[in-house]
């Protein structure tokens, strides 16, 4: 961009103080910041500027990064956590430009022509586009489309970072130095303990993923049905069950949880699925769980939460377009209220926030370790996307911007109330 109009470095200077701990070098030859800065960013072409000008938020930055238009020599693409942490620290050096300065910067960009570059090929449609195609949020068709978008990837790609447990939810670490695999199996067994299930009992696993809960439950002699809307997961889970010789106890179906014909389950678990349900659907969801449980049966609900009830429920543009279309998060208080209003008694509520941060640390380190395999498997933009998403999620859990809670809930027995609940807590069994 012509110096007489405005350089990229001058534009950045509108938003950051001169002492900000970052150096930015741009395609126009301009430089913001000092060589000794701990963080260095590279704006490689004008497309990055158009992306950011069109969407001056996480969506614009993500588009530029995924296309390779914005980069850093310090960045590990499978695990960009440290760079994201440095970027988060820049908030202390942010300035707020005037309307006139913003107009001047936009004019400098658009003086080269008003262009709206195509988003990355891996970007999903906007909410408006989904609606025009008849895909309404949190309907059966909408749920099937959005779950398929996120989960119907290569199983081999997921295994690169999930590890042998193939469990795409928060692990629970007894000690910080525990392996990811040990922590995931510990979490699965902890969930079974919280539901007080024994050999011969019946379990429904809603949103079962690749079948790790089915394996853990069947190894205890529990009869388990898992349901998911992702075909790739069903194939993997069914093969795993056959390899373990657990077909008499475990089953995985490609099925909406609302279509499960069985009822009278001793336990139901929903681990990492509620983010897809939608806040307004909570009452009907919990009623469905209530109807499928026997009196005295236990629901274990495990989901990512917002830290308070004031924030918007819907995810931002980046998450909606690239990760969880139509994803929504509620606060623990809102979720517990919905559970209680359905008629459940909430026995315990547990926040596992730090455990999810540590889980994501393992996942991003695994992805970076296998980066050479990940790139050709799904393409560099998608591999970058997963590193960006997981590292950003780790940082947000660490900063307590989001949390994850387990709700242990019992369906009262009309004859005995909830007196059938064991006196000993799950951790003392």
């Amino acid at each position: 961009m012509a110096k007489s109009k405005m350089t990229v470095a001058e534009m950045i200077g509108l938003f950051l103080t001169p002492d900000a701990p970052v150096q930015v070098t741009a395609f126009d030859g301009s430089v913001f910041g000092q060589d000794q800065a701990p963080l260095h960013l590279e704006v490689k072409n004008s497309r990055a500027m158009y992306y950011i000008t069109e969407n001056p938020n996480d969506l614009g930055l993500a588009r530029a990064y995924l296309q390779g238009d914005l980069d850093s020599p310090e960045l590990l693409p499978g695990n960009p956590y440290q760079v994201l942490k440095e970027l988060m620290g820049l908030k202390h050096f942010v300035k707020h430009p005037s309307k006139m300065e913003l107009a001047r910067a936009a004019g400098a960009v658009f003086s080269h022509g008003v262009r709206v570059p195509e988003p990355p090929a891996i970007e999903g449609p906007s909410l408006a586009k989904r609606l025009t195609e008849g895909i309404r949020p949190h309907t059966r068709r909408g749920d099937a489309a959005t779950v398929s978008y996120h989960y119907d990837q290569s199983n081999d790609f997921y295994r690169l970072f999930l590890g042998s447990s193939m469990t795409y939810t928060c692990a629970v670490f007894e000690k910080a130095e525990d392996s990811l695999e040990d922590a995931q199996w510990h979490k699965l067994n902890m969930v079974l303990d919280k539901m007080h299930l024994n050999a011969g009992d019946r379990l429904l696993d809603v949103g079962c993923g690749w079948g790790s809960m089915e394996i853990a439950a069947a190894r205890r002699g529990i009869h388990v049905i898992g349901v998911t809307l992702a075909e790739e997961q069903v194939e993997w889970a069914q093969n795993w069950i056959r390899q373990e010789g657990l077909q008499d106890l475990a089953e995985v179906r490609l099925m909406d949880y609302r279509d499960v014909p069985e009822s009278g389950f001793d336990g139901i678990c929903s681990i990492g699925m509620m983010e897809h349900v939608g806040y307004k659907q909570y009452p009907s969801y919990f009623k469905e769980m209530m109807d499928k449980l026997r009196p005295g049966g236990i629901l274990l609900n495990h989901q990512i939460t917002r830290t308070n009830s004031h924030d918007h429920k819907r995810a931002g543009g980046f998450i909606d377009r690239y990760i969880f279309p139509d994803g929504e998060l509620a606060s623990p208080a809102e979720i517990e209220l919905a559970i209680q209003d359905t008629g459940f008694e909430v026995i315990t509520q547990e926040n596992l926030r730090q455990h999810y941060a540590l889980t994501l640390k393992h996942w991003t380190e695994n992805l970076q370790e296998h980066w050479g395999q990940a790139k050709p498997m799904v393409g560099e933009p998608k591999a970058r996307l997963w590193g960006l998403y997981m590292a950003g999620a780790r940082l947000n859990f660490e900063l307590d911007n989001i949390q994850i809670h387990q709700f242990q809930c019992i369906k009262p027995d009309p004859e005995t109330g909830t007196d059938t609940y064991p006196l000993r807590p799950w951790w003392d069994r």
Side-chain angles (χ1 to χ4, degrees):
M1 296 175 186
K3 270 190 170 299
S4 59
K5 296 194 174 177
M6 203 172 197
T7 66
V8 172
E10 289 170 336
M11 292 181 198
I12 293 168
L14 296 178
F15 297 91
L16 291 176
T17 60
D19 59 336
V22 62
Q23 183 182 70
V24 183
T25 57
F27 61 93
D28 64 354
S30 63
V31 179
F32 173 90
Q34 304 301 314
D35 290 346
Q36 63 269 28
L39 176 62
H40 300 79
L41 301 177
E42 300 170 353
V43 182
K44 294 189 171 181
N45 54 47
S46 61
R47 184 171 60 179
M49 302 305 297
Y50 282 99
Y51 277 140
I52 295 168
T53 302
E54 181 192 4
N55 289 281
N57 51 30
D58 59 351
L59 181 59
L61 289 167
R63 284 173 170 173
Y65 171 67
L66 296 177
Q67 295 286 66
D69 303 337
L70 183 65
D71 216 332
S72 168
E74 286 94 17
L75 184 138
L76 301 174
N79 184 15
Y81 168 80
Q82 193 58 43
V83 165
L84 292 182
K85 191 172 182 179
E86 297 279 0
L87 285 171
M88 188 72 73
L90 294 180
K91 66 183 180 182
H92 303 294
F93 302 89
V94 169
K95 297 194 302 183
H96 299 286
S98 66
K99 291 182 179 178
M100 184 176 296
E101 288 172 324
L102 288 173
R104 183 181 167 219
V109 174
F110 293 125
S111 68
H112 296 268
V114 178
R115 289 195 292 121
V116 180
E118 288 293 319
I122 62 171
E123 182 172 305
S126 66
L127 174 60
K129 183 72 161 49
R130 298 196 295 269
L131 289 172
T132 62
E133 295 174 351
I135 302 175
R136 296 175 55 219
H138 311 303
T139 60
R140 289 171 185 261
R141 183 183 176 192
D143 288 348
T146 55
V147 169
S148 176
Y149 173 81
H150 187 75
Y151 293 106
D152 279 336
Q153 314 290 338
S154 161
N155 287 329
D156 290 334
F157 173 67
Y158 277 105
R159 187 179 173 87
L160 291 180
F161 60 89
L162 295 183
S164 61
S165 69
M166 285 296 279
T167 305
Y168 184 42
T169 56
C170 171
V172 176
F173 296 80
E174 293 186 282
K175 304 184 298 297
E177 59 269 22
D178 286 351
S179 71
L180 174 64
E181 286 70 25
D182 286 347
Q184 288 291 15
W185 289 112
H186 175 66
K187 184 272 302 294
L188 294 167
N189 284 305
M190 185 181 83
V191 167
L192 292 170
D193 286 346
K194 283 187 174 184
M195 290 185 288
H196 296 277
L197 297 178
N198 300 301
D201 286 342
R202 298 169 60 237
L203 167 66
L204 175 63
D205 181 17
V206 177
C208 65
W210 287 269
S212 58
M213 174 56 79
E214 284 59 46
I215 300 299
R219 285 174 178 171
R220 291 186 176 203
I222 297 164
H223 296 271
V224 55
I225 296 171
V227 294
T228 176
L229 296 175
E231 293 184 24
E232 294 274 351
Q233 292 182 336
V234 172
E235 180 183 355
W236 181 281
Q238 290 176 340
N239 287 336
W240 194 359
I241 290 167
R242 283 193 295 270
Q243 290 168 9
E244 294 271 344
L246 297 171
Q247 301 95 311
D248 292 342
L249 291 167
E251 176 187 358
V252 170
R253 303 172 182 170
L254 184 67
M255 179 180 284
D256 190 295
Y257 68 90
R258 290 162 284 203
D259 295 329
V260 174
E262 293 90 346
S263 61
F265 289 98
D266 299 289
I268 299 177
C269 60
S270 173
I271 307 176
M273 193 282 288
M274 280 292 288
E275 296 86 350
H276 299 285
V277 168
Y279 176 65
K280 291 183 179 179
Q281 311 305 316
Y282 284 5
S284 60
Y285 168 83
F286 286 117
K287 183 178 185 306
E288 192 79 35
M289 300 300 103
M290 175 75 78
D291 291 345
K292 285 180 165 51
L293 275 172
R294 66 163 173 82
I298 292 179
L299 167 68
L300 194 287
N301 205 69
H302 170 119
Q303 68 185 95
I304 298 173
T305 58
R306 294 192 181 278
T307 53
N308 62 64
S309 304
H310 306 298
D311 294 337
H312 294 296
K313 303 293 183 289
R314 285 188 61 83
F318 167 66
I319 295 295
D320 185 69
R321 299 284 186 94
Y322 286 96
I323 306 298
F324 292 118
D326 299 326
E328 294 182 359
L329 302 180
S331 71
E334 291 169 316
I335 297 163
E336 184 162 343
L337 182 62
I339 294 170
Q340 291 175 331
D341 284 351
T342 308
F344 283 104
E345 178 184 357
V346 177
I347 304 166
T348 64
Q349 180 197 126
E350 185 173 11
N351 183 1
L352 300 170
R353 175 179 65 81
Q354 296 96 329
H355 293 271
Y356 215 157
L358 187 51
T359 303
L360 286 154
K361 178 178 184 291
H362 281 276
W363 287 348
T364 49
E365 288 174 351
N366 285 346
L367 182 57
Q368 182 59 35
E369 181 182 348
H370 297 99
W371 186 251
Q373 297 168 259
K375 277 202 307 180
M377 196 175 286
V378 296
E380 184 164 2
K382 182 159 283 189
R384 277 180 168 244
L385 167 64
W386 280 91
L388 177 64
Y389 161 58
M390 294 191 296
R394 173 189 169 187
L395 191 56
N396 276 289
F397 279 112
E398 288 179 346
L399 295 172
D400 196 23
N401 292 330
I402 50 177
Q403 300 174 344
I404 184 160
H405 283 76
Q406 283 188 354
F407 298 87
Q408 183 190 29
C409 325
I410 189 168
K411 176 179 177 176
D413 188 317
E415 301 296 326
T416 63
T418 56
D419 287 348
T420 55
Y421 177 70
L423 290 177
R424 282 193 299 162
W426 65 269
W427 58 82
D428 191 37
R429 294 191 69 198

